Amino acid sequence: MNLAYIQEPVAAALEVCTDEEPLRVLLIDDDAAYRHLCQRYLSNVGPPSFEVVAVSTAAEGLAELEANDFDCLLVDYLLPDLRGTQVIRTFSTSDSERTPPTIIMTAEGGESAAAEAVRAGAADFLPKGVVSAESLVRSIKNAVQKSRLQKSAEAQSRELQHVNEQLNAKNEEIQRFYQIVSHEVKTPLAAAREFIAITLDGIAGPIADYQKEMLTHALDSCDQIAAQFNDLIEMTRLEAKKISLSKEKSSLDDVVARCLASVSMAIEAKQLYIKKRTTTAIPPFSFDRNRMVQVLSNLLGNAIKYTGPGGTITLAISHDADAGVVEIAVSDTGCGIAPDDLAQVFDRLYQVDGTGDSYMGAGLGLGLSIAKEIVALHDGTISATSVVEEGSTFTVRLPIQEAKSNNLGD
Ligand code: ADP
């Protein structure tokens, strides 16, 4: 979406008093001599020059305002039929968009008249006795410029609001689309998975070993597609702040045990070594168990995915009581990540070319960005260090004090 044009009205407003266009001024004053004086002050000046329409009553002035557009209204404070401030109020109530900036003039220049002029929204207040040609021209130019800047700022603000609404609507649309596609794909996918599983179990008849192997790959692929759809939905929900945490005081050890159990088969199949190191006892603290399982499973899953057979994965957990922080670090002896890529691995959909293997299945480059969002919802941080060909360490730091707010609402 191109927003550059939003700047144009500001530039136009700033140029208002240097262009050749005459400024149209409506002068309302029952004092004929003063009307002529003002008209003389405003003639033969410029650029910009002035086109003055002069009337003697509020009624005539209001009729002019109704019928024509003016750049500035110059009005006497005390008119026979209305006050100058009432003229502004009367017209702006019926047509605020077309109300020109107004300068109130008064013979006495009393403070109460000035205060009333400001309250009525006048751009300036001029005591008639001290008005010169120069001060009148300056006052009109300032009032017009200020009013145009204000209008352009209001227009920009409306435009930005409109753009914002459009973006929110688009975001909702994308979410709905993902949800529909996900539903449409996952339902038949679950059925296909079920048929494959039944066949694999030999329920539909005996199968040879090589058929078993192929069916196992098919089953993994089904799980991978389902996981990728889950990631997509999860990411859009996180971005739309539609995920809330369900925190409760829990033991991190339980979560770690759950995650290690879930990756044990993959570790074994890939002939990796896993070490768990805990320096101090971790006191129970408040966090969302399922979400933390999701974060750690992703880090462990990546470590497995990007480490060759015989490599080692280390899960180190420590507690800094003084800082009130728990640190969970997942290290591997895998392929590592080059510095340029490392700076981007937490970005949505970012994947490093040519890494990984087929065992854990390809991802969409969403896992780490989801992990980062979840950790941020816990007021924590996630970071990574890596050396190419030596391995990587992903570190999650979580505050263990009760956070001020624990969710962003559904
Ligand atoms: P993906 O689903 O592609 O793994 P992630 O967001 O989890 O997405 O990771 C983003 C990218 O970061 C991966 O494609 C991979 O290139 C790189 N990466 C993540 N973890 C590791 C790791 N432990 N070792 C090497 N590269 C990694």
Side-chain angles (χ1 to χ4, degrees), residues 302 305-306 332 337 345 350-352 355 363-365 367-368 392 394:
N302 278 349
K305 193 163 31 168
Y306 300 107
D332 61 59
I337 306 165
V345 286
Y350 191 81
Q351 289 183 301
V352 182
T355 51
L364 287 178
L368 286 177
S392 315
F394 286 82

Side-chain angles (χ1 to χ4, degrees), residues 289-303:
R289 287 171 64 90
N290 290 334
R291 293 282 169 200
M292 217 32 77
V293 166
Q294 193 179 351
V295 171
L296 292 190
S297 298
N298 175 263
L299 298 184
L300 285 169
N302 278 349

Side-chain angles (χ1 to χ4, degrees), residues 228 231 298-307 330-332 334-338 341-342 344-356 361-371 386 391-394:
Q228 289 178 344
D231 277 0
N298 175 263
L299 298 184
L300 285 169
N302 278 349
I304 296 168
K305 193 163 31 168
Y306 300 107
T307 303
V330 178
S331 307
D332 61 59
C335 60
I337 306 165
D341 293 313
L342 193 61
Q344 299 176 73
V345 286
F346 293 103
D347 292 353
R348 195 167 45 131
L349 297 172
Y350 191 81
Q351 289 183 301
V352 182
D353 288 342
T355 51
L364 287 178
L366 286 174
L368 286 177
S369 53
I370 291 173
S386 189
S392 315
T393 299
F394 286 82

Side-chain angles (χ1 to χ4, degrees), residues 181-326:
V181 173
S182 167
H183 182 259
E184 295 298 315
V185 172
K186 276 165 76 182
T187 309
L189 190 68
R193 192 192 187 284
E194 202 48 40
F195 288 126
I196 296 169
I198 288 169
T199 313
L200 196 56
D201 287 346
I203 295 168
I207 50 165
D209 281 352
Y210 75 92
Q211 288 170 319
K212 247 186 204 168
E213 199 182 316
M214 281 193 260
L215 287 174
T216 306
H217 286 314
L219 210 59
D220 288 345
S221 298
C222 290
D223 291 342
Q224 189 189 329
I225 296 169
Q228 289 178 344
F229 271 107
N230 288 343
D231 277 0
L232 269 178
I233 303 284
E234 185 86 332
M235 194 65 226
T236 50
R237 294 192 74 219
L238 277 163
E239 281 186 344
K241 310 278 183 240
K242 282 196 173 164
I243 298 259
S244 56
L245 295 183
S246 181
K247 281 188 180 182
E248 55 182 322
K249 215 168 202 172
S250 311
S251 151
L252 191 62
D253 283 340
D254 291 351
V255 166
V256 169
R258 203 167 126 192
C259 293
L260 289 177
S262 72
V263 295
S264 62
M265 270 173 68
I267 297 260
E268 203 180 315
K270 228 181 152 183
Q271 294 166 334
L272 297 168
Y273 299 96
I274 184 133
K275 290 184 198 161
K276 185 185 153 208
R277 258 195 241 130
T278 312
T279 48
T280 45
I282 312 293
F285 66 102
S286 181
F287 60 92
D288 186 320
R289 287 171 64 90
N290 290 334
R291 293 282 169 200
M292 217 32 77
V293 166
Q294 193 179 351
V295 171
L296 292 190
S297 298
N298 175 263
L299 298 184
L300 285 169
N302 278 349
I304 296 168
K305 193 163 31 168
Y306 300 107
T307 303
T312 303
I313 292 165
T314 309
L315 182 63
I317 305 165
S318 59
H319 170 218
D320 181 342
D322 292 339
V325 169
V326 163

Side-chain angles (χ1 to χ4, degrees), residues 11-59:
L14 287 170
E15 280 166 13
V16 62
C17 294
T18 57
D19 61 20
E20 300 296 321
E21 280 278 296
L23 293 180
R24 287 182 46 80
V25 176
L26 175 62
L27 169 62
I28 314 176
D29 197 323
D30 57 326
D31 180 342
Y34 201 76
R35 280 203 308 275
H36 289 135
L37 181 69
C38 288
Q39 281 177 298
R40 195 154 54 80
Y41 282 164
L42 296 178
S43 60
N44 300 323
V45 288
S49 58
F50 294 89
E51 265 177 30
V52 182
V53 174
V55 295
S56 58
T57 65

